[in-house]
Amino acid sequence: MAGRKRRYSAPIETDPGLDMSSLIDVSFLLLIYFLVTSTLDPKEADLGMTLPTTDSSQSSDVEVDQLTIKVENSGLITVNEEAMDADGNVREVPLLLDRLKQYVQTAKMLNSTPVVIISADDQSKGQRFIDVLNTLADKDVGISNVTITGFSIE
């Protein structure tokens, strides 16, 4: 028996497993990396809009007419029923920007606060609505009294 060697064999696994602990660590590290490195577009993150109130102490002696901006389903933007920018695929809205600059200058001459009402179609693109809000918050315009209408909750 001395010349006889014993052979030990490892137990045979019928269902091999995969160690998931290292994969979970990597997924959490990737999640933390993307959370730390991602940034918001400052134009859309810092839209400090003030909703108008019914407080009469804040109103001035002379009031300028409010503008009504409508965002259509096709991407057409109208101001007081006058067509401004029609191409919904272009993010810049130069005609609206010029009109808002004129409106703000008129309100400053009359020593009044400019007020804008935005009405958007439910089927219109959300980005087009954000483009209008970005134009209102532009440094040359700076309109913060905004009323939003036209949405329906289903």
Side-chain angles (χ1 to χ4, degrees):
M1 280 228 212
R4 193 170 167 201
K5 294 183 180 177
R6 287 188 175 177
R7 293 185 184 176
Y8 292 103
S9 63
I12 299 173
E13 292 185 21
T14 58
D15 189 20
L18 181 63
D19 186 17
M20 295 294 288
S21 61
S22 62
L23 294 176
I24 292 172
D25 291 341
V26 169
S27 64
F28 280 120
L29 287 174
L30 285 173
L31 178 66
I32 291 171
Y33 171 76
F34 286 117
L35 286 175
V36 170
T37 59
S38 65
T39 58
L40 294 175
D41 188 7
K43 281 185 168 181
E44 296 170 6
D46 297 332
L47 292 176
M49 296 286 175
T50 310
L51 295 177
T53 63
T54 58
D55 187 12
S56 61
S57 65
Q58 296 178 354
S59 63
S60 61
D61 295 335
V62 179
E63 289 190 12
V64 66
D65 290 337
Q66 58 194 9
L67 283 183
T68 302
I69 301 173
K70 188 170 184 182
V71 180
E72 301 286 337
N73 184 15
S74 62
L76 174 68
I77 297 173
T78 60
V79 176
N80 293 343
E81 304 298 325
E82 179 184 346
M84 289 286 133
D85 297 291
D87 191 4
N89 296 326
V90 178
R91 299 268 320 258
E92 290 81 20
V93 284
L95 297 175
L96 177 64
L97 182 63
D98 290 340
R99 181 67 180 266
L100 289 174
K101 285 179 184 178
Q102 292 173 356
Y103 177 64
V104 168
Q105 288 175 352
T106 304
K108 283 182 182 177
M109 288 187 333
L110 295 174
N111 197 18
S112 179
T113 304
V115 177
V116 173
I117 297 174
I118 301 176
S119 175
D121 190 341
D122 285 337
Q123 302 300 319
S124 64
K125 291 183 179 180
Q127 185 60 54
R128 195 66 169 164
F129 180 74
I130 295 295
D131 293 339
V132 172
L133 289 179
N134 286 340
T135 306
L136 290 171
D138 188 80
K139 63 179 177 171
D140 295 330
V141 176
I143 296 176
S144 60
N145 291 329
V146 177
T147 302
I148 300 173
T149 63
F151 294 107
S152 64
I153 301 172
E154 295 180 9

